[in-house]
């Protein structure tokens, strides 16, 4: 049967690159393409014990329908964690979601009319672009100059185009690994407040800091709910459980609850209870310390391998945290066209153009260093250099 | 901060009744209001063992990101179950979702432009109404006469209004417990096919059959993907895990995968693996037999208590399966206005008007018999009779 879909479906393109990158899942391929944590570091035993205890407590409500907002003790625990990061908040300000991707989708659903402008970094997180696009947003990108964000140009742009939302990953961004300075955070917040444009602060990576601490979240400087904050356990605990959260004002959370109710009623009860058990009976901070150390070593290794193999042939970011390095080849290269050649030599990356809205970059690529092993990083960067 | 939401938010009302019914969660209240399975019958031990085995197998991929479509062996297992129900299908025709509520939301997102007409039963499942409403659908309802569906009127209605989607819960419907006959199923399918309107067949209850077998799903008569089928583990295993599925043609599944990717990337990996373990290592059919027997007893008890307490004072459905009885008081009663009185005497129900689109019914209510215990059913129906 031929279906007649809604207008928005024409804005929901299947990513051709995703098909191409399915090849990257084959075991012989060294993949820098994914955004995956290192699976061998997951706290399997502790999570097993958490599920075992929660399911063994003879309380069948762990398998029953639950409140859309989420399990109250878990929201309280997350609120406490948020306060440690400088965000003044309570359980009532928190909605639990299926990863922060669902947070993005619910916010896009609440805010975006077809044609509304979303202001974002360029490049930006692919999943955010997809969510906003599926509600038919238009995009404008944050102007930068050699000193970083061009505040004056930003202010003019916002005044002229009145965006509906500003979407930012200010800390160890996906895909570039770049980070806003504290001054930049405060400047964006001031402008957003002056022109009454809410900021969505997507913050999956700030605990993966390798050189000192991450700058405080923008939300920590906010006094009037201008900043809607998205957090997730995907990078610090495990992505396969699908658990994230939104921090917002109570009236916004009330709207989000209605949206989430229609989207999937609530996040899994058992998942929430087991995660709460894990957070309160084990040492999440120690676990984060472990992955932080491992990823720092992998970042350092990738940077030194890049220096050996690419020294004068390319530029790359030197991220102080997160999971990605952004490599830029000289003008004229097309990383999308190079990808089949890379895959043929058993190495994979994501061509940079995928992360851009409006203007495309053809000579950049995103390299992930958290998932590949140290020996894969060594071998993979050498392979990559050879195809150029 | 005052936010400017999207136009669709004005169609996403918070249900006042939901606030009122929060009272029904207090322990002293006998609640016929929820749509909850009996928690004391959940296979807690088997699910505990499933998580324990899956997490104990030292395979960290159980906590890693997974494919948006879902875990292949689980999709294969569900496809096999579908074939037992007469639906010819393969893993490639199945997308896993966070309960069938997410299936509804993804389908509404794919199909509904603002103003598009959805044709549905009146009354219908509240969650479906909410999902379609949030994409700004208009509603038309299926005409009936004393013999059930009025086929001629239905055909005229479809011809004149060309609905975008037909939404049906043909088997043991929520809220009325009513069921389409096999002839009605075939008639609706023929009309849908003739006028090229896809049917969404929502089927959470068909395994909860108490008098013989449920009629075959409409999808089992379909030959050209006119019928999109929604299944769920919420009623047969446990709702708190949040796991459902969509059966559709491969091209539709491909579109749904893109929508799901934007919505939440994928359904939890661990959840899918543990559920697959449960389905293949324990006896789901035996478990369903257990709950079927228990719910049948509760239905019989509620029907006999209604007869004792209400005999000439009301009418009610006698469902052959599912979880609900629909009680209709004489004209002039208003079940919404009666609710505070009911709550004050410690008994709760959902006023029927909540399940209606367009035309409201004021003298009906939905009564759930799967969650309350037999003694609660006896006591609660007596209390209910007293307030009238």
């Amino acid at each position: 049967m031929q279906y007649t879909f809604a207008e928005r479906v024409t804005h929901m393109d299947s990513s051709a690159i995703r098909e191409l990158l399915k090849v990257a899942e084959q075991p012989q391929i060294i993949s820098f393409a994914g955004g995956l944590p290192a699976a061998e570091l997951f706290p399997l035993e502790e999570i097993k014990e958490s599920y075992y205890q929660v399911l063994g407590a003879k309380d069948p409500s762990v398998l029953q329908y639950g409140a859309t907002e989420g399990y109250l003790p878990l929201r309280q625990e997350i609120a406490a964690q948020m306060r440690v990061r400088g965000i003044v908040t309570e359980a009532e300000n928190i909605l639990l979601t299926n990863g922060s991707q669902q947070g993005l989708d619910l916010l896009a659903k609440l805010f975006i009319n077809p044609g509304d402008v979303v202001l974002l970094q360029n490049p930006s997180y692919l999943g955010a672009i997809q969510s906003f696009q599926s509600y038919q947003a238009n995009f404008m990108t944050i102007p930068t100059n050699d000193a970083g964000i061009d505040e004056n140009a930003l202010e003019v742009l916002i005044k002229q185009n009145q965006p509906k939302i500003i979407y930012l990953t200010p800390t160890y961004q996906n895909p570039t690994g770049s980070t806003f300075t504290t001054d930049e955070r405060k400047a964006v917040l001031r402008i957003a407040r002056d022109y009454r444009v809410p900021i969505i602060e997507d913050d999956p990576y700030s605990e993966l800091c390798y050189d000192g601490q991450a700058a405080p979240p923008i939300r920590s400087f906010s006094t009037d709910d201008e900043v809607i904050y998205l957090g997730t356990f995907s990078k610090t605990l495990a992505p396969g459980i699908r658990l994230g959260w939104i921090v917002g004002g109570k009236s916004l959370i009330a709207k989000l609850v209605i949206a989430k109710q229609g989207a999937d009623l609530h996040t899994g009860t058992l998942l929430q209870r087991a995660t709460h058990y894990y957070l309160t009976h084990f040492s999440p901070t120690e676990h984060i310390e472990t992955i932080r150390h491992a990823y720092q070593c992998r970042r350092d290794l990738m940077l030194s391998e890049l220096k050996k193999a690419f020294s004068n042939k390319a530029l790359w970011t030197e991220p102080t945290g997160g999971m990605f390095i952004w490599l830029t080849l000289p003008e004229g290269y097309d990383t999308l066209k190079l990808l089949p050649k890379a895959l043929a030599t058993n190495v994979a990356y994501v061509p940079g153009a995928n992360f851009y809205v409006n203007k495309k970059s053809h000579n950049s690529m995103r390299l992930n260093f958290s998932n590949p092993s140290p020996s894969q990083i060594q071998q993979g960067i050498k392979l990559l250099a050879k195809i150029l």
Side-chain angles (χ1 to χ4, degrees), chain A residues 140-203:
Chain A
M140 303 211 64
T141 65
I142 292 175
T144 53
N145 56 30
D146 288 345
I149 293 174
D150 184 338
E151 287 178 40
N152 293 332
L154 177 62
E155 199 158 349
V156 171
L157 194 72
I158 290 183
K159 200 189 293 188
Q160 287 176 349
N161 299 283
Q162 200 58 27
K164 198 69 177 287
I165 279 284
I166 301 172
Y167 169 75
L168 300 173
T169 311
T171 309
Y172 317 140
Q173 197 226 18
N174 175 2
T176 67
S178 69
T179 286
F180 282 26
T181 63
T182 298
D183 283 349
E184 285 177 317
R185 287 163 200 252
K186 288 180 177 168
V188 173
L189 178 60
R190 180 191 58 76
I191 297 169
R193 185 186 292 149
D194 286 354
Y195 295 92
R196 297 164 187 275
V197 189
I199 295 173
I200 297 175
E201 178 176 30
D202 194 3
D203 190 28

Side-chain angles (χ1 to χ4, degrees), chain A residues 123-143:
Chain A
S124 265
Y125 168 53
L126 187 55
I129 296 172
Q130 284 178 324
S131 269
F132 292 124
Q133 240 162 7
S134 77
Y135 293 96
Q136 297 160 265
N138 288 326
F139 296 108
M140 303 211 64
T141 65
I142 292 175

Side-chain angles (χ1 to χ4, degrees), chain A residues 30-34 302 347-349 366-368 372 376-377 380-381 384:
Chain A
I30 295 174
S31 180
F32 302 134
M302 189 177 272
V347 64
Y349 57 81
R366 189 190 75 175
L367 299 174
N368 166 264
Q376 286 179 318
I377 290 174
I381 296 296
L384 204 55

Side-chain angles (χ1 to χ4, degrees), chain A residues 1 5 16 27 35 37 49 83 114 139 163 172 215 218 239 313 328 337 375:
Chain A
M1 186 181 199
F5 291 117
E49 182 65 16
R83 290 192 293 270
F139 296 108
Y172 317 140
I218 303 179
K313 287 182 277 181
T328 307
K337 286 191 184 152
S375 68

Side-chain angles (χ1 to χ4, degrees), chain A residues 96-98 102 242-243 260 264-269 271-272:
Chain A
L96 297 181
T97 55
N98 296 320
Q102 187 182 39
R242 310 304 305 129
L243 192 57
K260 166 117 176 132
D264 62 4
L265 297 184
H266 65 87
T267 295
T269 316
L271 162 65
Q272 295 180 57

Side-chain angles (χ1 to χ4, degrees), chain A residues 48-60 62 270 277:
Chain A
K48 183 178 81 173
E49 182 65 16
S50 300
Y51 274 91
Y52 191 77
Q53 290 297 333
V54 162
L55 283 163
K58 314 270 179 219
D59 172 6
V62 300
L270 174 59
Y277 190 97

